[in-house]
Amino acid sequence: MIYAAKTIAGIRPQNQDAVFIPEDGLLAIAAVADGMGGHNAGDFASALAIKTLVGYMRQSTPESVREKLINAVNMANSAVYAMSLTDDAYMGMGTTLVAAVLDKDRFIAVNVGDSRLYHFNGTELKQITEDHSYVAQLAALGYITKEEAARHPQRNIITRAVGTRPVERVDIFECAWKRGDKLLICTDGLYGELDINLLTAALGCSAEELQSACSSLVDMALQAGSRDNISAVIVYNDGENIG
């Protein structure tokens, strides 16, 4: 796998997003988290969630990958929730979390919150995860359209988050992919400003252009007026397995 990542504070004074891509080539996993809370709490929540998830995934356990990934998110939820009870400054903190474990034929992804994972097969870009947000629920019930949801004044209200309660429901997705396909994992600071055509065009890049495409997406979201932190990870399937 070939990875690229970029995260910026944007116009905000602090970056509460966190991203993970492997540097040692021993763990084929990518993750993005978008923290929420008061000063320092949001960035602490997102960093702790990813650190806990990756740490658990590095352990040798008898579980299937699917079971292990769900348990890793549950561990992350417990870690953030427990920390939120230790100090008033951390009270109520939480984070979105999207992560994908990859091999050459399939990927298994988990999601809590409204950060997203997209799969690009070379021609079509498909959103794999489902947003856990107030406006997503309204759209699912037919009260508003997806286009209205993207502009809704309450679009930032999420209905699930890692660490805000003792136990949280986790969505899991298992999908086939092939050599040359790409995944985009991003926060709402990115996808909230860029339409599907811009995302698709950027993902048409070669493997050698992966980092520049990732940086370009983040920069375009900022220039389009994003008022949030902006983060993106792109993964290219090079047809090689890990381990």
Side-chain angles (χ1 to χ4, degrees):
M1 304 300 159
I2 303 173
Y3 305 86
K6 184 170 183 178
T7 180
I8 63 171
I11 68 168
R12 294 197 171 186
Q14 183 185 46
N15 191 356
Q16 296 190 329
D17 289 357
V19 302
F20 175 83
I21 55 175
E23 297 179 354
D24 54 15
L26 300 178
L27 182 70
I29 186 170
V32 166
D34 180 356
M36 61 185 192
H39 182 63
N40 290 333
D43 65 318
F44 189 86
S46 60
L48 178 59
I50 285 186
K51 179 182 178 180
T52 304
L53 178 136
V54 172
Y56 189 82
M57 295 303 298
R58 289 188 185 278
Q59 297 177 24
S60 178
T61 67
E63 308 148 290
S64 68
V65 174
R66 185 184 181 95
E67 293 170 334
K68 188 172 184 177
L69 191 52
I70 291 175
N71 287 337
V73 179
N74 290 335
M75 292 287 289
N77 186 79
S78 296
V80 175
Y81 182 74
M83 188 60 67
S84 75
L85 302 178
T86 64
D87 192 307
D88 287 347
Y90 296 147
M91 186 180 298
M93 72 178 179
T95 182
T96 71
L97 182 60
V98 178
V101 175
L102 317 146
D103 69 25
K104 66 178 182 178
D105 298 317
R106 65 172 185 162
F107 61 89
I108 301 176
V110 285
N111 176 52
V112 178
D114 67 347
S115 295
R116 291 181 179 177
L117 182 147
Y118 296 87
H119 173 210
F120 181 64
N121 64 7
T123 56
E124 180 185 13
L125 183 66
K126 180 180 180 182
Q127 181 182 337
I128 301 299
T129 55
E130 298 175 3
D131 297 346
H132 304 142
S133 66
Y134 174 66
V135 295
Q137 288 185 342
L138 291 180
L141 292 170
Y143 293 124
I144 60 174
T145 66
K146 288 185 177 181
E147 291 72 24
E148 289 170 333
R151 302 186 301 271
H152 198 282
Q154 294 175 301
R155 62 186 178 276
N156 293 325
I157 299 176
I158 60 176
T159 54
R160 292 192 222 170
V162 169
T164 58
R165 46 193 171 194
V167 178
E168 187 56 87
R169 287 180 295 151
V170 181
D171 286 356
I172 188 159
F173 308 87
E174 186 167 350
C175 304
W177 71 331
K178 63 185 186 303
R179 183 174 184 176
D181 285 6
K182 301 182 185 76
L183 299 183
L184 169 65
I185 311 175
C186 59
T187 58
D188 61 337
L190 186 134
Y191 72 74
E193 301 299 332
L194 304 179
D195 66 27
I196 197 74
N197 294 322
L198 284 173
L199 298 179
T200 303
L203 291 171
C205 65
S206 67
E208 294 75 21
E209 299 169 321
L210 215 61
Q211 186 59 56
S212 62
C214 193
S215 297
S216 177
L217 280 172
V218 171
D219 293 343
M220 283 193 294
L222 182 61
Q223 293 165 11
S226 179
R227 303 186 64 80
D228 204 347
N229 306 144
I230 310 168
S231 299
V233 167
I234 303 177
V235 185
Y236 177 87
N237 184 343
D238 62 358
E240 299 292 332
N241 263 334
I242 299 296

